[in-house]
């Protein structure tokens, strides 16, 4: 194409910035010289794009006119920054004011962390342009079918000297399909590129054009009609290109000679002595502009805005609005070439696929320490524990008729999250590993019937060791093959969406499996590929490997992994597992006193914090409805605060102290000595964005008993009779523990599979210590309709229904009016609801007075002592409506007199307000 209408030394046009005050940032690449002479295009590893930006706030959006620059102020006290994708100003210590923390050392740590975050962003963006590109590695890496009848493979192994693919498709030959020499096979960052060419069938002629493309989904495409390339080029010249835009180039030096002629004229200097002094770029531009004609009908861009010495972003080349709109209005001529694309039948007729669906393969490396065979890090389907042979990846490319087609969109969940945590393998009643299909058919309907609106699945990512519950991940982009295929998991997610359930998964980016044959450890033969070297690269107690969060390529891997699960499997959120393992070099195994300096001392991994900030920014910027939950036993300050205010950006944090508090009381404190104040202190110490639960999988997996096993004392009741006084008292205690934990949550509640009906057995995965038995690696669903389990399930279901209809946990903060250790009674309000709990195991109260702020009539809407919940029904229907009196109690102007059975709880709703 010709460039006669504008000088060749100018850059491609960028959209003019908006007419609002914006931050201008001088790039580190730009010096004091003029932009036109000092600009040097950044090297981009991915495809060329006009969306380059040197900072997360660089704007490329269109506006109504050219940018108006204000004079540079002589002094600037504080630099205003913008968070990517938002207009809120950045304050690295903003949340400290909100939370009332005034520690100077921690504030300085946050400022230093913010500076490191900006440097990490710049390092990341100089390689991958922005967070979207930096989290899209799955589009290039791994195995992908190319439109030009081939399969492309890419992986990262900076420590390897040679790379090839071996598998069923080439009889496991280490030399047949290797990376080419030079930049097409191995780049400076350690990425290896292998091309698998489809084989021409016998008797078929090669394609006439080397750029011939195929559509592998549809049987036929436009190219099957015999579209000719010469005819397409003729049509493009007649219909698309304007006169003068298309020129032929006879020599590689023609463009250089034309540029030289534009700068110095047709008879320019031939020697340095004749060259003399070269005018600056602006003068040369003005001289050139004066010689140009004003052609308003041309669509070529016009450059009429010159840098005036203000701070200038080298990635934003500003043009006038009319020129930019003309440029944008002209679509690329790609549509012409698409017409040559042929369909799937033409491809199958001419070629044999280089690698077929379900073919097994591995990656072969030659390293300084010898040859290695590894499972590719970006493989999407892996068999990690194949019997009698080494683990391998499976190429997953089903034919079009077998590709899973999504039917349902993301459900709209209003109010609080009611999460049902589960593990697919132990979800069946049989003593075996259950599958995705069985879970979809049997468990998902139960979750919907139980009243939950989200399902959180643990152990989804591929892992070799089944007894690790899925937390020693070996392959981060693959679903666990022991449960089924990728399409089976897609169906599970789709059916859950159809039932109105959000789907969350546990993501383990805090550590990885140390397995070398199938995992990432020593992937390319070096000890510091994905992980830290030395002691820091190993978890002190779990034998796992610790990621190197300061490496751009590791960040690229982890960010892409998050985006992969959202894009490929429509996941609605993540719970980040065991953050304390990654946030501290001691892996969280240290005594925490709660002192603020413990969060900013030499043991804190600043790079891990920066990764979590980038992960949350990426997820919420690209997927605004995503849900992120932090599981951190140390409760790092600012977990759920915005990243613009110095926080980490999570939506919820899991309060691990609540189940530990209940467990400690149940096992160590006589019930008559329970302290109501201590219980409430743990429950509401900070319930802002708090996810609460009575017990999750940790309480029943980590060598402990489940709460039902402790409270109900399963050895004492074989018949399950609710008439037994011990069983009645135990179930009553379990119900009020569930209710008070749920109603004090900060907008999210979690229940582990089986606990909704008080599953009487703990979980124990098959391992050598139990003879690899599945006896405790299943769920006894038949108990749902029996005795005390039926009553507790009915109660749990009604709690979920109450929140669904009344939005109980979305009513703002709690107001605790009454907390009596002597009587063991707790009373608090939340919105129009009054909650009263009597933990006393022996003493009922006939007329117990509690204070309320609002005078009126309160109606009983939930009572744990009802007979359908296994209670004794001591409260009569005439006592369901209560009217306040003006007698003061608990510091309130009004009060209610209530009848409270022992070990019971009641929920009242204000249905009528009385004005005095």
């Amino acid at each position: 194409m010709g460039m006669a209408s504008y000088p060749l030394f100018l850059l491609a046009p960028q959209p003019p910035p908006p007419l609002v005050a914006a931050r201008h940032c001088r790039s580190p690449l730009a010096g004091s010289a003029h932009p036109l002479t000092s600009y040097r295009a950044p090297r981009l590893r991915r495809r060329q794009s006009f969306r380059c930006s040197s900072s997360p706030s660089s704007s490329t959006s269109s506006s109504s006119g050219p940018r108006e620059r204000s004079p540079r102020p002589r002094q600037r006290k504080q630099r205003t920054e913008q968070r990517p994708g938002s207009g809120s100003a950045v304050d690295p210590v903003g949340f400290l004011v909100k939370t009332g923390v005034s520690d100077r050392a921690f504030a300085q740590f946050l400022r230093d962390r913010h500076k490191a975050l900006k440097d990490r962003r710049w390092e990341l963006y100089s390689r991958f342009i922005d967070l979207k590109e930096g989290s899209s590695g799955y589009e290039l890496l791994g195995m992908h079918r190319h439109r030009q009848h081939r399969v492309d493979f890419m992986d990262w192994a900076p420590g390897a000297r040679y790379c090839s693919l071996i598998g069923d498709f080439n009889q496991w030959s280490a030399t047949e399909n290797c990376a080419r020499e030079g930049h097409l096979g191995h780049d400076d960052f350690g990425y290896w590129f292998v091309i698998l060419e489809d084989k021409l069938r016998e008797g078929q002629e090669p394609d006439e054009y080397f750029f011939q493309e195929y559509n592998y989904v549809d049987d036929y495409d436009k190219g099957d009609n015999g579209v000719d390339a010469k005819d397409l080029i003729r049509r493009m010249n007649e219909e698309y290109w304007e006169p003068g835009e298309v020129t032929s180039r006879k020599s590689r030096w023609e463009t250089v000679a034309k540029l030289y002629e534009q700068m110095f004229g047709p008879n320019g200097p031939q020697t340095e002595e004749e060259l003399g002094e070269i005018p600056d770029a602006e003068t040369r531009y003005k001289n050139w502009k004066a010689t140009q004609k004003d052609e308003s009908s041309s669509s070529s861009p016009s450059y009429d805005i010159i840098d005036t010495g203000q701070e200038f972003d080298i990635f934003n080349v500003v043009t006038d609005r009319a020129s930019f709109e003309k440029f944008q209005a002209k679509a690329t001529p790609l549509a012409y070439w698409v017409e040559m694309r042929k369909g799937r039948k033409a491809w199958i007729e001419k070629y044999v696929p280089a690698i077929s669906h379900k073919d097994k393969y591995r990656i072969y490396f030659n390293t300084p320490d010898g040859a290695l065979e590894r499972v590719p890090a970006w493989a999407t389907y892996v068999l990690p524990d194949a019997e009698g042979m080494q683990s391998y990846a499976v190429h997953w490319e089903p034919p079009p008729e077998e590709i899973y087609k999504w039917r349902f969109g993301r459900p709209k969940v209003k109010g609080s999250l009611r999460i049902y945590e589960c593990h697919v393998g132990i979800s069946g009643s049989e003593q075996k590993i259950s599958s995705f299909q069985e879970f979809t058919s049997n468990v998902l309907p139960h979750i919907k019937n139980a009243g939950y609106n989200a399902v959180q699945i643990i152990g989804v990512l591929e892992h070799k060791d089944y007894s690790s519950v899925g937390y020693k991940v070996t392959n981060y982009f693959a679903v666990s093959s022991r449960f089924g295929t990728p399409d089976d998991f897609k169906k599970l997610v789709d059916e859950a969406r159809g039932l109105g359930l959000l789907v969350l998964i546990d993501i383990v980016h805090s550590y990885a499996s140390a397995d070398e044959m199938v995992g990432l450890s020593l992937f390319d033969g070096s000890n510091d590929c994905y992980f830290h070297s030395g002691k820091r690269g190993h978890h002190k107690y779990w034998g796992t490997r610790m990621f190197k969060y300061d490496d751009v390529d590791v960040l690229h891997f982890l960010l892409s992994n998050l985006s992969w699960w959202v894009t490929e499997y429509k996941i609605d959120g993540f719970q980040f597992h065991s953050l304390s393992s990654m946030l501290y070099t001691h892996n969280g195994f240290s005594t925490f006193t709660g002192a603020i300096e413990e969060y900013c001392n030499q043991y804190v991994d600043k790079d891990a914090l920066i990764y979590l900030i980038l992960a949350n920014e990426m997820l919420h910027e690209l997927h605004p409805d995503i849900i992120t939950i932090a599981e951190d036993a140390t409760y790092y300050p600012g977990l759920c605060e915005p990243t613009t205010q110095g926080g980490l950006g999570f939506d919820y944090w899991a309060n691990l102290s609540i189940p530990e508090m209940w467990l400690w009381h149940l096992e160590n404190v006589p019930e008559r000595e329970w302290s109501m104040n201590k219980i409430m202190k743990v429950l509401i110490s900070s319930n802002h964005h708090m996810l609460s639960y009575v017990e999750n999988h940790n309480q029943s997996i980590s060598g402990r008993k489940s709460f039902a096993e402790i409270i109900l004392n399963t050895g004492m009741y074989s018949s399950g009779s609710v008439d037994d006084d011990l069983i009645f008292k135990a179930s009553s205690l379990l119900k009020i523990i569930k209710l008070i934990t749920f109603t004090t949550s900060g907008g999210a509640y979690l229940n582990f599979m089986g606990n909704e009906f008080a599953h009487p057995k703990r979980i124990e995965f098959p391992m050598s210590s139990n003879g690899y038995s599945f006896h405790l690696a299943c769920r006894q669903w038949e108990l749902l309709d029996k005795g005390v389990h039926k009553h507790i399930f009915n109660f749990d279901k009604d709690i979920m229904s109450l929140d669904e209809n009344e939005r109980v946990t979305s009513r703002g903060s709690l107001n605790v009016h009454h907390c009596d250790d002597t009587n063991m009674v707790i009373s608090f309000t939340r919105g129009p609801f009054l909650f009263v709990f009597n933990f006393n195991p022996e003493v009922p109260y006939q007329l117990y007075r509690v204070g309320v702020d609002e005078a009126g009539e309160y109606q009983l809407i939930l009572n744990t002592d009802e007979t359908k919940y296994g209670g004794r029904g001591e409260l009569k229907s005439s006592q369901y409506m209560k009217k306040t009196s003006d007698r003061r109690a608990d510091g309130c102007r009004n009060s209610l007199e209530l009848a409270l059975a022992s070990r019971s709880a009641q929920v009242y709703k204000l249905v009528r307000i009385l004005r005095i």
Side-chain angles (χ1 to χ4, degrees):
M1 297 191 309
M3 299 185 182
S5 58
Y6 57 95
L8 297 175
F9 54 82
L10 291 178
L11 304 175
Q14 297 292 320
L19 289 175
V20 297
R23 177 174 69 92
H24 305 287
C25 174
R26 183 178 298 275
S27 166
L29 297 179
S32 59
H34 194 281
L36 293 179
T37 59
S38 63
Y39 177 82
R40 183 177 180 182
R43 178 181 179 183
L44 303 179
R45 211 180 53 76
R46 293 180 59 85
R47 60 181 181 273
Q48 292 293 333
S49 173
F50 287 147
R51 296 185 292 107
C52 302
S53 62
S54 64
S55 65
S57 58
S58 298
S59 174
T60 57
S61 58
S62 59
S63 63
S64 58
R67 173 162 55 193
E68 296 181 0
R69 293 189 176 126
S70 58
R72 180 188 296 179
R74 294 184 179 179
Q75 295 181 352
R76 179 175 296 177
K77 296 183 179 180
Q78 186 176 359
R79 191 169 191 155
T80 303
E81 301 178 37
Q82 303 292 327
R83 175 185 172 177
S86 71
S88 56
V90 174
D91 183 0
V93 296
F95 83 92
L96 295 184
V97 177
K98 173 183 175 183
T99 56
V101 178
S102 58
D103 187 85
R104 182 174 298 179
F106 187 67
Q108 185 59 44
F109 174 84
L110 293 180
R111 294 187 181 95
D112 293 340
R113 189 188 72 187
H114 181 66
K115 292 178 182 178
L117 172 63
K118 291 194 294 183
D119 293 339
R120 189 62 42 78
R121 279 203 191 106
W122 169 253
E123 189 179 1
L124 187 66
Y125 294 170
S126 63
R127 286 273 303 279
F128 302 106
I129 302 177
D130 56 16
L131 280 177
K132 182 178 181 180
E133 297 293 328
S135 61
S136 302
Y138 55 85
E139 295 179 359
L140 290 178
L141 284 98
M143 193 83 75
H144 298 281
R145 176 154 291 282
H146 194 276
R147 293 189 299 270
Q148 294 179 6
H149 54 82
R150 73 178 198 233
V151 174
D152 294 344
F153 174 84
M154 185 181 289
D155 214 322
W156 182 59
R161 295 176 176 177
Y162 173 87
C163 173
S164 66
L165 284 178
I166 59 175
D168 294 339
F169 59 93
N170 62 6
Q171 289 73 49
W172 301 89
S173 170
T175 58
E176 183 172 342
N177 300 103
C178 61
R180 300 175 182 177
E181 295 292 335
H183 67 279
L184 291 178
H186 182 211
D187 67 9
D188 296 337
F189 302 110
Y191 288 89
W192 294 88
F193 184 56
V194 181
I195 296 177
L196 305 179
E197 295 281 358
D198 291 341
K199 297 178 177 61
L200 196 67
R201 293 185 184 273
E202 186 176 357
Q204 293 290 331
E205 294 292 331
D207 287 316
E208 182 179 358
Y209 306 103
F210 72 91
F211 48 79
Q212 178 66 58
E213 296 182 356
Y214 289 89
N215 177 357
Y216 303 104
V217 176
D218 300 324
D219 288 340
Y220 298 100
D221 214 330
K222 294 183 179 180
D224 292 296
N225 298 326
V227 179
D228 185 72
K230 296 180 180 179
D231 181 58
L232 282 180
I233 294 175
R234 180 187 59 79
R235 286 172 51 196
M236 289 169 61
N237 291 336
E238 294 177 356
E239 302 172 3
Y240 185 83
W241 301 116
E242 296 187 6
E245 280 190 309
V246 180
T247 59
S248 59
R249 192 173 65 177
K250 300 179 181 178
S251 170
R252 58 187 296 188
W253 305 108
E254 184 176 343
T255 302
V256 179
K258 183 177 292 186
L259 173 61
Y260 184 83
E261 183 177 339
Q262 286 184 357
M263 293 178 63
F264 302 106
N267 299 316
Q270 302 299 315
T271 64
E272 291 186 7
E273 290 75 10
E274 297 177 4
L275 182 63
E277 184 179 354
I278 302 178
D280 62 273
E282 185 174 351
T283 302
R284 297 199 309 270
Y285 170 77
K286 290 181 177 179
N287 294 338
W288 171 85
K289 188 67 178 177
T291 63
Q292 302 303 304
K293 296 180 181 180
D294 184 15
E295 298 181 3
S296 59
S297 60
S298 174
S299 64
S300 300
S302 172
Y303 294 82
D304 291 333
I305 298 178
I306 297 298
D307 180 39
T308 58
Q310 303 294 324
E311 288 184 295
F312 188 74
D313 188 340
I314 64 171
F315 294 109
N316 286 337
V317 179
V318 186
T319 67
D320 66 290
R321 168 52 53 183
S323 172
F324 175 74
E325 289 179 351
K326 288 181 181 179
F327 182 84
Q328 290 292 92
K330 198 172 188 65
T332 62
L334 183 63
Y336 289 92
W337 297 109
V338 171
E339 292 189 32
M340 287 192 62
R341 190 176 298 169
K342 296 182 180 180
R344 179 177 178 84
K345 286 192 174 182
W347 168 64
I348 291 295
E349 181 181 350
K350 185 178 285 289
Y351 293 99
V352 176
I355 181 170
S356 301
H357 177 49
K358 294 186 178 181
D359 273 0
K360 299 181 285 292
Y361 69 97
R362 289 196 294 270
I363 188 170
Y364 176 91
F365 293 126
N366 190 356
T367 71
D369 295 329
L372 297 175
E373 292 184 14
R374 294 286 187 259
V375 174
W378 300 72
T380 58
Y381 190 34
V382 176
L383 297 178
D385 50 0
E387 296 182 1
M389 63 178 299
Q390 185 180 341
S391 305
Y392 51 78
V394 178
H395 180 54
W396 192 257
E397 188 187 6
E401 61 272 13
E402 297 180 12
I403 295 176
Y404 187 80
K405 297 176 178 58
W406 295 89
R407 297 185 298 158
F408 303 103
R410 187 184 194 274
K412 296 181 180 179
V413 174
K414 298 180 180 180
S416 63
L417 281 178
R418 302 183 298 277
I419 303 173
Y420 191 90
E421 187 185 38
C422 51
H423 185 284
V424 172
I426 63 172
S427 62
S429 56
E430 300 181 33
Q431 296 183 21
K432 65 169 187 174
I433 299 177
S434 296
S435 66
F436 287 134
Q437 294 181 353
E438 293 170 330
F439 184 90
T440 303
S441 302
N442 303 327
V443 182
L444 283 182
H446 166 74
I447 299 174
K448 177 64 177 178
N449 179 55
Y452 293 86
N453 58 15
V455 53
Q456 179 176 310
I457 310 176
I458 62 177
V460 172
L461 280 65
E462 187 59 88
H463 50 286
K464 183 177 181 179
D465 184 5
Y466 185 56
S467 64
S468 71
V469 200
Y471 287 126
K472 292 184 178 180
V473 178
T474 53
N475 309 96
Y476 279 83
F477 290 83
V479 297
S480 181
S481 57
R482 56 175 55 87
F483 305 142
T485 67
D487 285 352
D488 291 339
F489 183 63
K490 288 181 180 179
K491 183 178 180 180
L492 185 156
V493 175
D494 200 24
E495 292 296 331
R497 286 183 157 202
L499 293 172
L501 301 172
L502 298 177
V503 180
L504 291 75
I505 63 172
D506 257 24
I507 198 77
V508 189
H509 283 182
S510 49
Y511 53 83
S513 170
D515 191 284
E516 298 175 10
M517 302 305 297
V518 64
L520 299 176
S521 184
L522 301 180
F523 180 70
D524 61 351
S526 63
N527 196 33
D528 59 350
C529 182
Y530 285 94
F531 310 108
H532 288 290
S533 59
K535 292 183 178 180
R536 190 177 176 186
H538 297 265
H539 196 287
K540 296 182 183 298
Y541 297 96
W542 296 344
T544 50
R545 298 302 308 270
M546 307 307 296
F547 282 106
K548 187 168 53 175
Y549 300 104
D550 59 344
D551 189 287
V552 170
D553 294 289
V554 175
L555 290 178
H556 179 48
F557 176 84
L558 295 175
L559 293 174
S560 298
N561 183 239
L562 294 173
S563 188
W564 160 260
W565 288 100
V566 180
T567 304
E568 180 70 12
Y569 293 105
K570 313 296 182 185
I571 296 301
D572 300 304
F574 301 96
Q575 174 164 306
F576 285 72
H577 172 74
S578 188
L579 295 188
S580 56
S581 295
M582 63 188 289
L583 294 184
Y584 309 94
T585 56
H586 53 61
N587 305 131
F589 284 83
S590 177
T591 302
F592 273 79
T593 63
I596 194 67
E597 60 266 16
E598 293 174 331
Y599 301 107
C600 58
N601 58 22
Q602 70 272 24
Y603 301 110
V604 177
D605 190 340
K606 190 182 299 181
D607 296 317
L609 291 168
I610 291 174
Y611 161 66
L612 293 176
I613 294 174
L614 291 173
N616 276 295
E617 286 186 349
M618 181 274 294
L619 287 171
H620 289 95
E621 180 180 340
L622 302 182
H623 314 284
D625 295 328
I626 203 73
I627 298 169
T628 58
I629 303 171
E631 183 191 80
D632 177 23
T634 67
Y635 310 116
Y636 195 87
L639 281 174
C640 294
E641 299 297 336
T643 58
T644 56
Q645 302 299 305
L648 300 185
F650 287 96
D651 297 303
Y652 299 95
W653 62 280
N655 192 339
L656 306 179
S657 297
I658 294 177
E660 294 295 331
M661 178 265 295
W662 290 127
L663 183 64
W664 182 78
H665 277 82
L666 291 172
E667 293 184 338
N668 301 289
V669 184
E671 192 176 348
R672 195 62 183 86
E673 298 177 10
W674 285 18
S675 170
M676 302 297 102
N677 282 281
K678 289 182 179 179
I679 290 174
M680 289 304 293
K681 182 178 180 180
V682 174
L683 290 174
I684 66 171
S685 57
S686 177
N687 74 335
H688 182 59
H689 298 294
M690 182 179 70
L691 184 149
S692 300
Y693 56 93
V694 176
E695 58 178 322
N696 70 350
H697 64 275
N698 287 332
Q699 277 62 48
S700 53
I701 287 178
S702 305
R704 304 176 178 177
K705 297 180 179 180
S706 68
F707 280 16
E709 198 169 359
I710 297 172
I711 298 176
L712 297 177
N713 197 353
T714 55
M716 296 179 59
Y717 75 104
S718 56
S719 63
S721 173
V722 295
D723 294 331
D724 188 347
D725 187 60
L726 292 177
I727 299 302
F728 165 74
K729 290 182 177 180
S731 63
S732 299
L733 178 59
L734 186 58
K735 286 183 290 185
I736 61 176
I737 287 177
K738 281 178 171 286
L739 182 60
I740 195 171
T741 304
F742 179 82
T743 55
T744 55
S745 67
Y749 175 79
L750 182 143
N751 171 80
F752 183 66
M753 177 175 57
N755 292 341
E756 71 276 12
F757 62 90
H759 195 280
K761 296 291 185 180
R762 66 185 184 278
I763 298 172
E764 192 175 281
F765 278 75
M767 59 186 70
S768 57
S769 61
N770 59 18
Y772 299 98
S773 170
F774 284 85
H775 176 65
L776 296 177
C778 57
R779 300 278 85 179
Q780 301 179 30
W781 296 108
E782 66 276 6
L783 297 177
L784 269 172
D785 297 324
K786 295 182 179 179
V788 64
H789 303 286
K790 176 182 179 180
H791 297 145
I792 291 179
F793 175 67
N794 289 338
F795 176 71
D796 191 271
K797 182 177 178 181
D798 283 355
I799 296 178
M800 301 301 115
S801 177
L802 177 65
D803 187 68
E804 174 72 21
N805 299 326
E806 302 289 353
R807 309 280 176 83
V808 173
T809 58
S810 303
R811 296 282 185 166
S813 59
L814 286 75
N815 188 0
V816 181
H817 295 139
H818 187 89
C819 195
D820 191 330
D821 284 340
T822 303
N823 295 325
M824 300 185 68
V825 175
I826 298 173
S827 173
F828 60 86
T829 58
R830 193 166 191 175
F833 301 100
L834 170 67
F835 304 90
V836 185
F837 299 85
N838 180 15
F839 277 86
N840 198 308
E842 302 169 353
V843 181
Y845 302 100
Q846 297 302 321
L847 294 175
Y848 196 92
R849 186 173 298 275
V850 295
V852 291
D853 289 324
E854 201 70 61
E857 295 181 352
Y858 288 77
Q859 183 178 5
L860 182 67
I861 58 176
L862 185 67
N863 179 19
T864 63
D865 192 46
E866 290 188 27
T867 54
K868 64 178 180 179
Y869 305 142
R872 293 172 177 170
E874 296 179 0
L875 200 64
K876 306 304 180 184
S877 58
S878 59
Q879 298 173 291
Y880 280 17
M881 184 70 73
K882 293 292 183 178
K883 186 177 180 180
T884 60
S885 66
D886 57 1
R887 181 176 173 181
R888 299 182 66 89
D890 303 325
C892 302
R893 294 184 299 175
N894 308 285
S895 61
L896 290 171
E897 286 187 338
L898 306 175
L900 304 176
S902 60
R903 278 181 173 171
S904 70
Q906 300 171 3
V907 181
Y908 291 85
K909 181 181 180 181
L910 178 63
V911 295
R912 182 183 178 188
I913 300 176
L914 299 179
R915 300 298 181 187
I916 300 177

